[in-house]
Amino acid sequence: MNAPATPLIPSMKDRVSPEEWQTRVDLAACYRLVADFGWSDLIFTHITARVPGTEDQFLINPYGMMFDEITASSLVKIDTHGNKLEDSPFPVNPAGFIIHSAIHAVRHDAQCVLHVHSVNGVAVSAQKGGVLPISQQSIFVLSSLAYHGYEGVALNEEEKPRLVADLGDKNYLMLRNHGLLTLGKTIADAFVNMYIFEAACMIQVRAQAGGELVQIPSQIISGAQEQVKTVTKSQGGMLAWPGLLRRLDRIDPSYRT
């Protein structure tokens, strides 16, 4: 049986501001990178970005499209309730926006919220001790990490205040028995944060298969954020982002369309 063809989606480039178009390109790239690094869960997670110049408009994936198919023009613009603000042949999964809408409503410093169900991330989220200070990657996560207990599939509006209270001002959130979430002032920041988060979890799962673990002293963790600024020349995720886009362009540049 042949799969149905992906609907033809006209370009949005001349229908939105240059700032929104750049956000669309970067968000489409982020979806493609999540697929490329093996963190996608078919179609069942989400990455959202605030439309520049607005407080109540966001871009999200067209529900049903695989992450490696997403383009700048196929992203759907929605309001704070997950309702579509423009025509699209694809639906939006309002349930998938529960977590994102809660965070965007209170964290105006975050342009992007990235949530995945990566295998290593879910594995560590099920461990009582959570992220352990056993790798260089883990110290960056632990310096800005919060936890939120599992309350079932994120369908309940009543969960929102508990989630944002647990998150506070942190940029890494471990959703117990569920997955990982990162925030970023830019899409690049959110992606690089997730790369570090998932790497810390992967290292932990592998290290636990061996002998006794050596833990990093807490005073090193407390200085990790200043170390990040030094390592990235105060550019955050933007230091690595151009190279990541070049990687995508070599694979398939259609995310830019």
Side-chain angles (χ1 to χ4, degrees), residues 13 37 54 76-77 80 90 139 147 194 209 220 230 247 251:
K13 186 172 184 179
F37 280 81
T54 75
V76 183
K77 190 184 299 186
T80 54
F90 285 88
I139 70 170
Y147 293 88
M194 185 59 73
I220 293 178
T230 301
R247 172 187 175 126
I251 298 169

Side-chain angles (χ1 to χ4, degrees), residues 91-109:
V92 169
N93 179 8
F97 194 54
I98 290 285
I99 292 172
H100 295 252
S101 61
I103 295 171
H104 280 298
V106 299
R107 289 293 300 273
H108 300 289
D109 60 314

Side-chain angles (χ1 to χ4, degrees), residues 7 17 23 88 91 103 113 178:
S17 68
T23 297
S88 170
I103 295 171
V113 177
H178 183 173

Side-chain angles (χ1 to χ4, degrees), residues 130-251:
V131 177
L132 302 176
I134 59 170
S135 67
Q136 180 165 275
Q137 289 82 353
S138 72
I139 70 170
F140 303 125
V141 175
L142 288 166
S143 66
S144 187
L145 176 63
Y147 293 88
H148 176 64
Y150 188 63
E151 298 189 26
V153 177
L155 301 172
N156 186 359
E157 290 275 345
E158 294 179 358
E159 183 178 357
K160 286 183 174 184
R162 293 186 290 274
L163 187 147
V164 298
D166 288 339
L167 174 64
D169 63 353
K170 307 302 185 184
N171 290 322
Y172 297 87
L173 179 64
M174 178 159 276
L175 298 159
R176 288 291 194 181
N177 311 99
H178 183 173
L180 309 180
L181 184 145
T182 58
L183 285 69
K185 292 181 179 179
T186 66
I187 293 168
D189 286 342
F191 178 81
V192 172
N193 285 346
M194 185 59 73
Y195 177 86
I196 295 168
F197 206 175
E198 169 62 13
C201 291
M202 182 187 297
I203 291 166
Q204 179 167 321
V205 169
R206 294 186 180 186
Q208 288 170 326
E212 185 177 355
L213 302 178
V214 177
Q215 299 209 356
I216 296 169
S218 59
Q219 61 268 27
I220 293 178
I221 297 170
S222 64
Q225 289 302 308
E226 287 303 315
Q227 293 178 12
V228 168
K229 292 177 183 178
T230 301
V231 169
T232 66
K233 301 179 179 180
S234 296
Q235 295 181 53
M238 290 305 297
L239 183 65
W241 194 243
L244 289 165
L245 296 185
R246 291 193 298 271
R247 172 187 175 126
L248 282 181
D249 287 337
R250 290 191 295 270
I251 298 169

Side-chain angles (χ1 to χ4, degrees), residues 9-117:
I9 298 173
S11 175
M12 295 288 293
K13 186 172 184 179
D14 296 328
R15 298 168 56 189
V16 299
S17 68
E19 294 79 11
E20 179 177 331
W21 181 250
Q22 185 59 57
T23 297
R24 284 176 171 270
V25 171
D26 286 337
L27 185 57
C30 193
Y31 273 104
R32 296 286 185 104
L33 286 164
V34 165
D36 190 40
F37 280 81
W39 307 333
S40 63
D41 184 12
L42 298 180
I43 62 171
F44 298 111
T45 56
H46 306 275
I47 315 167
T48 53
R50 197 185 308 272
V51 175
T54 75
E55 289 295 328
D56 58 355
Q57 296 181 12
F58 308 91
L59 298 170
I60 195 169
N61 54 308
Y63 194 45
M65 187 176 281
M66 301 293 284
F67 284 15
D68 62 358
E69 299 177 309
I70 290 174
T71 64
S73 296
S74 67
L75 291 163
V76 183
K77 190 184 299 186
I78 58 176
D79 63 17
T80 54
H81 303 290
N83 299 312
K84 290 194 290 185
L85 298 176
E86 58 194 11
D87 290 335
S88 170
F90 285 88
V92 169
N93 179 8
F97 194 54
I98 290 285
I99 292 172
H100 295 252
S101 61
I103 295 171
H104 280 298
V106 299
R107 289 293 300 273
H108 300 289
D109 60 314
Q111 182 194 12
C112 182
V113 177
L114 198 170
H115 170 47
V116 300
H117 300 157

